[in-house]
Amino acid sequence: MKRWFTDCNITVFTLVFMSVQFLAWEGGTISLPKVAFMCLTPFLIVMRAPVLSKAILFSVVYWVVTVAVRFLYVSSPRMSTFYYALMFLSTFCFYYNMVYIRRVFVLEDFLKVVKLVIYAYAGCLVLQQACMLVGIRMFPLLNLMNMKYYSLFRLNSLAIEPSHAARLLTVYFYAFIKLLEFKDGIAPSIKKLWGEHRRVIIAFLYAMVAMGSGTAFVGLAILSLYFIRRQYAVYVVVFASVFYIVVPFVNYEPLNRAINVFDVAIKGDTELVAKTDHSASTRVNIMIDTITQLDLSESSTWLGRNDDNEMNYMQGYSIVYAISEYGLISYMCKLLLFFACCFSGVLELLIFVLLLSFDVGNIAYGWAILMVFSTIKYFKNNLHS
């Protein structure tokens, strides 16, 4: 029995469990199985890796500052929200300590985990599509739950919805190419990837294109930046120009939606973004409004709302929730945690901004993304050890 509960297996389970959501057992909002597991993580930290790491230190600072500001500024804050956030922080700290303190992963093993998740998402999507072809819209074992938006090329795979799957796969594939870079000591070329890792490439690209999410194409655009080299600059410009011209003639809704939103987003008109694509506007407008509408002279900017029913200057704008609700002081402490433990490259910041809209809230897949980033940073910092 002990061989199943090794440090490595528990750590892998933590990451994978946070990376998927089986709707039949977990639902589409708060997952009770995840809540139960996250409640165990403080004990797991004490039992497996009782060390005051950066993750624990910055998590405590963020949580204490957030709670303290709310108690000073709000008469009766909702403590249930803080306890729920503490569960995610504890789970992240447990994973971080296992990776950094117990050193449970070697590069090749984590690479296998990354590929397994990519294959699992792609395989589940293909099986869901097979069900749709024969008229089956409800198959809980395949995470197929008869959602209204379902179509042959719009499915959720192992996530709550297609856009969540797109974000996760973007990050896992980014981890895949970064791990290959660390392993070989040089950034892998497209030719090398296709020649040696064709199955992973096909599985990833098929899942991203066929899941029916405009977010997937944003993810692909971000990942394409990894392969830009000076000698390829002309080819990239030509390809991007031809692609932009041809897209309107391609009758594929997710791709067209992504391009249309990009067209109006660069104008900075949030109302026009909402009219173009309401779903995408919930993420795009957060970036626009947070940058353009924050008033640093207002106390609510720094401390958040001072009452659950209060109307302030941010009302009606799509400000990052962590700022509008808890204030910029709390948000900066949160960013301190992310930068200290997770981010190690420009593309990770782009993913954080463009795919996660400047924040990771109390949602499992977001913290799974941070776990992957922290592991990439671990291998980057320990290349020669």
Side-chain angles (χ1 to χ4, degrees), residues 159-174:
I160 296 175
E161 60 179 63
S163 64
H164 293 189
R167 294 183 181 94
L168 275 164
L169 280 177
T170 297
V171 171
Y172 271 98
F173 189 78
Y174 172 70

Side-chain angles (χ1 to χ4, degrees), residues 19-30:
S19 298
V20 302
Q21 183 113 346
F22 290 100
L23 299 177
W25 298 280
E26 300 184 68
T29 52
I30 296 176

Side-chain angles (χ1 to χ4, degrees), residues 49-69:
V51 176
L52 182 61
S53 62
K54 283 196 299 184
I56 293 178
L57 177 62
F58 288 117
S59 293
V60 170
V61 169
Y62 160 64
W63 193 82
V64 169
V65 167
T66 302
V67 173
V69 169

Side-chain angles (χ1 to χ4, degrees), residues 238-252 255-256 259:
V238 172
F239 175 79
S241 302
V242 172
F243 180 77
Y244 190 77
I245 294 171
V246 171
V247 161
F249 301 99
V250 178
N251 188 26
Y252 188 49
L255 179 57
N256 292 330
I259 295 298

Side-chain angles (χ1 to χ4, degrees), residues 266-280:
I266 58 177
K267 300 175 183 177
D269 189 333
T270 55
E271 291 185 7
L272 188 56
V273 174
K275 290 179 181 178
T276 303
D277 189 325
H278 178 72
S279 176

Side-chain angles (χ1 to χ4, degrees), residues 28-239:
T29 52
I30 296 176
S31 164
L32 294 182
K34 282 188 173 67
V35 168
F37 174 74
M38 290 191 293
C39 286
L40 295 176
T41 54
F43 303 102
L44 290 174
I45 291 174
V46 173
M47 293 168 58
R48 300 280 180 165
V51 176
L52 182 61
S53 62
K54 283 196 299 184
I56 293 178
L57 177 62
F58 288 117
S59 293
V60 170
V61 169
Y62 160 64
W63 193 82
V64 169
V65 167
T66 302
V67 173
V69 169
R70 297 311 286 158
F71 266 100
L72 290 172
Y73 199 52
V74 179
S75 56
S76 56
R78 292 174 298 172
M79 287 305 298
S80 59
T81 303
F82 297 125
Y83 293 140
Y84 192 45
L86 189 60
M87 293 180 194
F88 286 101
L89 289 169
S90 175
T91 304
F92 175 76
C93 289
F94 166 67
Y95 179 87
Y96 183 93
N97 275 21
M98 296 301 283
V99 172
Y100 280 76
I101 307 302
R102 295 301 293 265
R103 296 177 176 266
V104 296
F105 289 136
V106 295
L107 193 147
E108 289 79 7
D109 289 342
F110 189 67
L111 190 58
K112 291 177 183 177
V113 174
V114 168
K115 290 194 289 186
L116 174 66
V117 173
I118 293 173
Y119 283 140
Y121 263 88
C124 183
L125 178 64
V126 170
L127 292 174
Q128 287 179 338
Q129 289 178 316
C131 288
M132 293 293 290
L133 284 172
V134 297
I136 299 175
R137 296 177 58 90
M138 184 75 176
F139 198 151
L141 287 176
L142 292 177
N143 220 27
L144 203 61
M145 299 299 294
N146 196 27
M147 299 295 185
K148 290 182 179 179
Y149 65 79
Y150 278 174
S151 67
L152 183 61
F153 290 103
R154 184 160 174 76
L155 294 162
N156 57 304
S157 187
L158 291 171
I160 296 175
E161 60 179 63
S163 64
H164 293 189
R167 294 183 181 94
L168 275 164
L169 280 177
T170 297
V171 171
Y172 271 98
F173 189 78
Y174 172 70
F176 174 69
I177 54 180
K178 289 298 290 184
L179 292 172
L180 290 179
E181 176 186 326
F182 299 153
K183 180 181 177 182
D184 300 333
I186 187 173
S189 65
I190 295 176
K191 182 179 179 180
K192 179 180 176 63
L193 283 174
W194 183 251
E196 298 180 9
H197 305 282
R198 190 169 305 177
R199 293 179 182 176
V200 179
I201 304 300
I202 292 173
F204 168 71
L205 289 178
Y206 181 81
M208 292 291 277
V209 173
M211 71 175 61
S213 171
T215 304
F217 291 96
V218 178
L220 289 171
I222 294 172
L223 290 173
S224 69
L225 298 177
Y226 177 87
F227 298 100
I228 293 179
R229 306 286 187 272
R230 185 174 300 176
Q231 62 267 35
Y232 301 142
V234 175
Y235 300 103
V236 171
V237 171
V238 172
F239 175 79

